[in-house]
């Protein structure tokens, strides 16, 4: 709960955040009973995506995609700022 209180800093938002109860929370590693790293989760996610999608592939961005990326990132940030502002 304290994390969200500090993040909101007493400001009203357009969104209703859930009530956080740390006493009933656990990490994925705790729930699965095994240690996990970001690399483990990344590899597992890629395996599931490859297995369940004929259209999924991973690789480097094309030249055209690389040119579009900065503009797409800026649009994403602008959209998020607009959605989160009052």
């Amino acid at each position: 709960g304290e994390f969200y209180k500090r993040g909101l800093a007493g400001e009203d938002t357009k969104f209703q955040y859930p009530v956080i109860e740390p006493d009933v929370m656990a990490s994925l590693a705790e729930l699965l009973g095994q240690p996990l790293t970001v690399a483990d989760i990344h590899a597992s996610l890629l395996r599931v995506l490859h297995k369940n999608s004929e259209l999924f592939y991973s690789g480097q961005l094309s030249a055209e995609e690389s040119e579009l990326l900065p503009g797409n990132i800026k649009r994403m940030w602008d959209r998020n700022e607009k959605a989160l502002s009052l």
Side-chain angles (χ1 to χ4, degrees):
E2 186 64 27
F3 173 82
Y4 292 99
K5 287 179 192 172
R6 287 185 185 201
L8 291 172
E11 296 290 326
D12 290 329
T13 65
K14 292 180 180 181
F15 304 103
Q16 179 67 38
Y17 291 94
V19 175
I20 305 301
E21 297 184 38
D23 294 340
V24 297
M25 296 172 67
S27 69
L28 289 175
E30 291 170 317
L31 294 172
L32 295 172
Q34 65 183 35
L36 290 174
T37 65
V38 171
D40 294 333
I41 294 171
H42 182 253
S44 294
L45 176 62
L46 287 177
R47 278 194 302 275
V48 170
L49 290 173
H50 279 288
K51 179 181 175 185
N52 293 296
S53 175
E54 296 176 11
L55 302 175
F56 181 82
Y57 67 93
S58 57
Q60 298 295 317
L61 295 178
S62 69
E64 181 181 354
E65 291 168 330
S66 292
E67 287 181 26
L68 294 173
L69 183 61
N72 288 339
I73 290 173
K74 181 173 182 347
R75 279 193 294 282
M76 178 191 69
W77 279 104
D78 291 346
R79 183 180 60 241
N80 288 347
E81 283 182 6
K82 184 178 179 183
L84 296 173
S85 68
L86 294 174

